[in-house]
Amino acid sequence: MPNKEVGEPHATELQTLNFKVSDAFKRSYKAYAAQRGMTMLDLLKEGFELSREADRK
């Protein structure tokens, strides 16, 4: 189910988010997500939500 607060679209409406990171960052990020049993996308979304919550305080 889409997250209305973030404006998450249905799967057929997904857009590509492109940005470049260093190889070391990508490896570290991917490994961290895997260790937590998450996809890299889920980790990105979680981090975004935590950042938004911190800004509300």
Side-chain angles (χ1 to χ4, degrees):
M1 181 170 204
N3 183 340
K4 300 294 184 196
E5 184 175 329
V6 178
E8 185 177 312
H10 294 283
T12 58
E13 300 172 8
L14 294 177
Q15 298 291 314
T16 300
L17 181 63
N18 289 316
F19 50 90
K20 295 189 184 279
V21 296
S22 70
D23 184 57
F25 177 83
K26 182 180 178 184
R27 281 186 278 115
S28 177
Y29 186 85
K30 188 172 187 175
Y32 184 73
Q35 289 169 354
R36 297 186 69 204
M38 304 174 76
T39 66
M40 293 188 343
L41 178 57
D42 287 340
L43 181 57
L44 175 68
K45 289 178 182 179
E46 182 179 282
F48 177 66
E49 284 303 315
L50 289 171
S51 183
R52 288 179 69 194
E53 289 173 19
D55 285 345
R56 291 182 190 134
K57 294 178 181 178

